[in-house]
Amino acid sequence: MDKNNIDYHILWKKFNASVSKQEQQLIDDWRSISPKQEQLYKDVEAFYSEDSINLTPNLNQQEAFKNISNRINKRRWYSISAAASVILILGLSVLYLQSKIFSVSEPTIIAQNSSTQITHGEKKAVLILEDGTEAVITPETQLEVNQGSSSLQLSKSGISYKEQKNKSIKESFNTLMIPRGGEFYLELSDGTKVWLNSETKLKYPVAFVNDQRVVELTGEAYFEVAKDMQHPFIVMSGSQKVKVLGTQFNVNNYDGNPSIKTTLVEGAVEVVTNSGESIKLNPGYQSVYDINTSKIASSKVNVSQCIAWKNGIFQFSDETLVQMLGTLERWYDVSFNYKNDALKNIRFTGKMKRYESLEEVLAIIEKTNEVNFTVEGSQVFVN
């Protein structure tokens, strides 16, 4: 490839997925040629850093450039300097952006048969104690429970357990359930921190008294495990378990999903399936366990995308509409109904703020001109 030119698809992968070492070297070489290429790189980076949802570009470069050009010109919430038009020079795969400030268009109006706006999710959970007692937890809830060798404390940030000295050690388990439209934070008795996404359930011991620290997860959670070389931390999740000593990682295992995904941020983990097959992950890698075939494999991924939910962001990379809207269903506690099943397979890439209203998020998606939405209470119709 001529170093003066760059394949747009490689740039797209850089900001929305991941690139190989060879592709990264191509990008570095291209950027170093002149200030013009470096500015061009920054323009594309700025484009993808803003809230946006775009059609995923395919290997047809002409169509890919046409899509991104249309998306840029239809932006209403910000102006971009040096990013007005995208021109494809056939055979050269050159991206060229001409300086210009874009005009602001009228905002998209979501058809809605209700005067009530659907707000984003919030901190809420249901705590089930070992004796079956249930308590609905919100930041305003006042609750303090002593269980064996640990005491439960509730604050605006979430739930934390503190071990009490000179108390008899008795193993007991609590379960924290996060409903649709919720999220929550939990600190276990050993100091391990857990961020739980919507529609998630975590069963855990009030105090860790055995050789292994074992919890059970359904849904999605991000773990920051307290180091303890003598007591491995194990997350049981469906047909696999994740074994760690002290690290940060994300597990995604929602009911109905075809796979279980484990993403390592730092440290090291070993993922073991029920059949005994195991795989060790390095930081920046993700294991995917296929529930249908019982096979597991790993690959390098964009970690920031995998844990974006924890940082208040929706981030999608080459996901189908039905996958993307499935995420929104859990967070906004709504149901999407498709008038045409063919719409489900349209692929999208982009990111949006997680704490916007549903209507604001749908308006961003509608900017692709591929779908539109009608909101009727908690039912959303996709056209």
Side-chain angles (χ1 to χ4, degrees):
M1 176 185 295
D2 183 352
K3 289 186 177 181
N4 288 290
N5 305 317
I6 189 70
D7 186 333
Y8 169 68
H9 197 257
I10 295 178
L11 285 181
W12 176 84
K13 288 173 62 180
K14 170 66 177 178
F15 299 116
N16 296 285
S18 61
V19 293
S20 66
K21 290 183 178 180
Q22 182 181 13
E23 289 170 330
Q24 182 61 55
Q25 188 61 54
L26 289 173
I27 293 173
D28 294 341
D29 291 344
W30 174 75
R31 291 176 63 184
S32 66
I33 292 173
S34 72
K36 180 180 179 180
Q37 270 86 348
E38 177 63 20
Q39 184 58 53
L40 179 57
Y41 176 86
K42 291 179 179 179
D43 292 337
V44 178
E45 183 179 36
F47 174 80
Y48 281 117
S49 69
E50 297 292 334
D51 284 3
S52 65
I53 290 293
N54 303 285
L55 294 179
T56 298
N58 52 33
L59 294 179
N60 182 328
Q61 295 299 309
Q62 188 171 14
E63 189 64 27
F65 284 121
K66 180 180 177 181
N67 285 337
I68 191 173
S69 178
N70 289 339
R71 298 295 80 74
I72 291 176
N73 284 308
K74 288 184 173 66
R75 292 290 181 84
R76 64 180 174 84
W77 23 81
Y78 70 100
S79 296
I80 303 176
S81 176
S85 61
V86 183
I87 303 173
L88 175 68
I89 301 178
L90 292 176
L92 296 179
S93 295
V94 175
L95 178 64
Y96 174 78
L97 285 78
Q98 185 177 14
S99 298
K100 186 177 178 182
I101 299 298
F102 298 112
S103 60
V104 179
S105 60
E106 292 299 316
T108 298
I109 303 298
I110 303 294
Q112 188 170 349
N113 296 333
S114 171
S115 60
T116 303
Q117 192 176 56
I118 299 176
T119 59
H120 57 72
E122 59 186 357
K123 291 182 179 180
K124 58 183 177 181
V126 176
L127 176 66
I128 305 175
L129 304 181
E130 187 176 46
D131 64 4
T133 302
E134 295 188 11
V136 177
I137 307 295
T138 68
E140 290 72 37
T141 303
Q142 295 184 353
L143 181 68
E144 186 167 342
V145 179
N146 292 320
Q147 291 179 283
S149 60
S150 293
S151 63
L152 180 156
Q153 298 176 354
L154 182 64
S155 66
K156 289 185 177 180
S157 60
I159 293 175
S160 62
Y161 287 84
K162 303 298 180 184
E163 290 193 7
Q164 297 177 318
K165 296 181 178 180
N166 303 320
K167 287 283 187 177
S168 59
I169 298 178
K170 177 185 176 181
E171 186 174 52
S172 58
F173 290 85
N174 287 352
T175 300
L176 194 62
M177 298 182 64
I178 317 303
R180 289 164 67 108
E183 64 178 355
F184 217 75
Y185 168 80
L186 170 67
E187 183 174 333
L188 300 174
S189 62
D190 66 338
T192 291
K193 300 174 182 179
V194 189
W195 288 261
L196 299 109
N197 206 346
S198 53
E199 206 168 28
T200 294
K201 180 172 70 174
L202 184 73
K203 182 179 180 180
Y204 56 92
V206 173
F208 294 104
V209 300
N210 296 318
D211 293 337
Q212 297 180 332
R213 298 172 288 167
V214 181
V215 300
E216 299 178 21
L217 173 73
T218 302
E220 183 170 28
Y222 180 90
F223 294 85
E224 190 173 300
V225 178
K227 292 184 178 180
D228 185 347
M229 301 298 288
Q230 304 302 317
H231 300 88
F233 192 94
I234 296 176
V235 180
M236 307 294 297
S237 186
S239 300
Q240 71 166 39
K241 63 180 179 181
V242 183
K243 181 179 179 181
V244 304
L245 296 175
T247 188
Q248 297 181 35
F249 62 99
N250 191 84
V251 178
N252 181 304
N253 176 31
Y254 280 110
D255 287 338
N257 280 5
S259 62
I260 305 173
K261 298 178 180 179
T262 304
T263 308
L264 183 61
V265 178
E266 67 175 52
V269 302
E270 181 181 16
V271 183
V272 184
T273 69
N274 284 353
S275 63
E277 186 178 3
S278 66
I279 192 167
K280 293 183 178 180
L281 296 180
N282 292 319
Y285 280 77
Q286 179 186 81
S287 68
V288 178
Y289 174 80
D290 189 308
I291 294 175
N292 294 323
T293 64
S294 299
K295 298 295 183 181
I296 189 169
S298 67
S299 62
K300 190 172 180 60
V301 295
N302 183 341
V303 171
S304 62
Q305 176 190 322
C306 299
I307 65 171
W309 69 269
K310 173 182 171 289
N311 300 319
I313 299 291
F314 290 120
Q315 190 165 348
F316 307 100
S317 178
D318 193 26
E319 294 193 26
T320 62
L321 181 64
V322 71
Q323 289 173 322
M324 186 168 66
L325 297 187
T327 298
L328 301 186
E329 280 186 330
R330 288 190 290 269
W331 183 234
Y332 292 100
D333 192 13
V334 296
S335 295
F336 286 92
N337 303 278
Y338 300 83
K339 292 191 175 180
N340 182 353
D341 284 344
L343 296 172
K344 295 180 179 180
N345 297 318
I346 301 173
R347 292 187 173 274
F348 295 85
T349 290
K351 64 180 181 179
M352 303 173 287
K353 293 182 179 66
R354 185 173 158 95
Y355 296 106
E356 303 286 1
S357 70
L358 175 64
E359 287 76 12
E360 290 172 306
V361 168
L362 296 182
I364 293 173
I365 299 174
E366 283 193 341
K367 285 293 179 179
T368 63
N369 291 330
E370 292 295 321
V371 293
N372 57 71
F373 303 95
T374 302
V375 180
E376 296 184 3
S378 62
Q379 301 294 313
V380 183
F381 294 92
V382 186
N383 304 297

